Each structure stands twice: as C-alpha cells, then as structure tokens.
Amino acid sequence: MEVVTGNTGWIEVICGPMFSGKSEELIRRLRRAIIARKRVQVFKPAIDTRYAPDEIVSHGEQRLKAEVIAGAGEILSRLDWRTQVVGVDESNFFGMELVEVANQLADSGKQVIIAGLDTDYMGRPFHPMPELLSLAEAITKALAICVRCGNPAKHTQRLVESDELIVVGAAGMYEARCRRCFEPGVPRQEYFEFARPALRAKT
Ligand code: ADP
Ligand code: ZN
C-alpha cells in the first residue's frame, strides 16, 4: 500500500474463487500488522464455522483468531476505538450492510482488509463484493488452479445440487475451475456417477 500515509483510513479487498489463497493473504497481511504492533481486530461470519468456531483457517491450515459475528453491524458494536486494522474474512456472506460499515471504518481512519468471493456458484457477481471493489483503495484478485486442466481458475464450481446462493462447504462440495472448465450451477457429467452414491450414503 504505497498510496496511503498518515492517519487516513482505507479499504483493501482480496477477492477470487475458493482455494485461491484469500484467507492466506488476509492472514499474512494481518500478521504483518500485528508484527508492526498495530492493534488488529478480525471478524468472520457465524455462518462459516467449517473449521474452527473462533479462527480464520485457510485451506493450507494457516490460522488466526477471529471474532464471530452474526451481521456486519456487529463489527461497529464490537469495535475497540483503539483498533487500527480491521480484517474481515468470508465477506461475501455479510450482505450489503458491510459496504456502509467498511466505508465508515475507513472514514474514521481504520485500515480495512476485506476478503471474499467475488463470484457465486453461477459465476455471477457476489454482492457486496462488487460494491466493495468499487470503493476500495487497493484490490487483489487471487486465482486458484483449475482442478480439471491446471490453468488459472477464477470460478468456484459447486459439486452438490442446490439452488441456494449460500451452501457452506469446502473440499468435496466445491472446486476451483477456469473459465473454460466452469459449469455454472452443478456439473452435468461424471460427477453424478461417482459423487451421488457417496452423498446418499451420508444421509
Ligand atoms: P481461499 O480463502 O481463497 O478459499 P485459502 O487461503 O483458504 O483460499 O487456501 C489456499 C490454499 O488452498 C492454497 O495455498 C493451497 O494449499 C490450497 N489449494 C487446494 N486446492 C487448490 C487449488 N485448486 N488451487 C490452488 N490452491 C489450492
Ligand atoms: Zn480448466
């Protein structure tokens, strides 16, 4: 971040598909802030308790303590006024309220680091990420590796059948795919032969 100095706040967004390293990058930036002796608060949505109730956990097993909140408004009510850096993981789960909250934090001098999916399982913009990208001072778009062909992957491929926008899950329910290999929604082909019996066995 070369652009901002002094007491000015700002918004940094880290976006991309699942498995692209968003959480890793968020943890890296927050760790650096902690090393620099800045006061840091980290938030994640209650909806995402996949790996640990009170930590951000990357797919590569990096961890950082986080406060679990039910909605974006809780960031403001839980904020310690001395906090200088605010990190938010899984930001796409917070809805449009996060836009106003992030703006307010940046306006009041905080460094706000937002990580989240920029597209959903259909490949559509995942709100509020597009709005946050347009308001941010700095943007990082992370890419994963397509599990089909090895090319850079910008899509999160859903592997289970559901029309719900939010279905929380990790490996086995989602995978990274490139533009060419991505199939909006649920893949048509061989998935059904091998994955469906396994899913049925679980239920
Ligand atoms: P995100 O927060 O974007 O979902 P994470 O930071 O949790 O990503 O995890 C990134 C890590 O996931 C990578 O460093 C790598 O170890 C692992 N990984 C698993 N599958 C893939 C993939 N298809 N492409 C890239 N990384 C992958
Ligand atoms: Zn591909």
Side-chain angles (χ1 to χ4, degrees):
M1 278 296 299
E2 304 123 39
V3 286
V4 187
T5 55
N7 297 324
T8 318
W10 69 87
I11 300 172
E12 300 167 36
V13 178
I14 305 161
C15 69
M18 277 179 75
F19 307 104
S20 65
K22 301 183 301 299
S23 299
E24 267 172 15
E25 178 60 17
L26 177 65
I27 292 169
R28 189 186 73 84
R29 292 186 194 181
L30 293 171
R31 288 227 172 100
R32 287 175 61 89
I34 292 166
I35 290 167
R37 298 183 192 286
K38 292 193 176 161
R39 286 178 179 271
V40 174
Q41 268 183 281
V42 190
F43 297 96
K44 70 171 209 173
I47 194 168
D48 179 28
T49 50
R50 277 173 291 182
Y51 312 107
D54 60 346
E55 287 177 315
I56 301 174
V57 184
S58 76
H59 292 108
E61 276 298 308
Q62 299 218 35
R63 288 163 183 273
L64 193 70
K65 279 266 176 261
E67 297 178 49
V68 179
I69 52 174
E74 248 187 86
I75 295 176
L76 296 178
S77 58
R78 283 172 174 252
L79 195 76
D80 181 331
W81 62 271
R82 294 167 300 181
T83 293
Q84 296 161 290
V85 181
V86 178
V88 187
D89 202 11
E90 309 289 353
S91 298
N92 49 288
F93 289 142
F94 282 117
M96 292 298 283
E97 196 186 1
L98 182 60
V99 178
E100 184 49 38
V101 170
N103 240 346
Q104 247 179 277
L105 291 170
D107 285 345
S108 63
K110 314 293 182 204
Q111 175 184 355
V112 186
I113 314 177
I114 301 269
L117 296 170
D118 53 352
T119 59
D120 67 12
Y121 74 109
M122 295 295 287
R124 301 170 298 204
F126 204 149
H127 300 283
M129 299 309 289
E131 289 75 11
L132 288 161
L133 286 166
S134 69
L135 293 171
E137 272 81 358
I139 296 166
T140 301
K141 177 134 179 170
L143 297 172
I145 307 295
C146 176
V147 298
R148 282 291 174 86
C149 73
N151 277 319
K154 67 164 182 142
H155 285 294
T156 304
Q157 178 71 57
R158 183 176 284 182
L159 300 173
V160 292
E161 235 176 324
S162 172
D163 294 329
E164 297 291 318
L165 176 61
I166 295 175
V167 176
V168 177
M173 289 176 74
Y174 293 97
E175 66 185 26
R177 297 259 188 112
C178 73
R179 175 187 288 277
R180 209 178 45 185
C181 299
F182 177 60
E183 298 162 88
V186 180
R188 295 175 299 278
Q189 342 82 332
E190 66 269 32
Y191 161 73
F192 291 102
E193 284 124 56
F194 70 80
R196 268 201 158 162
L199 279 175
R200 242 186 258 129
K202 267 190 216 157
T203 51

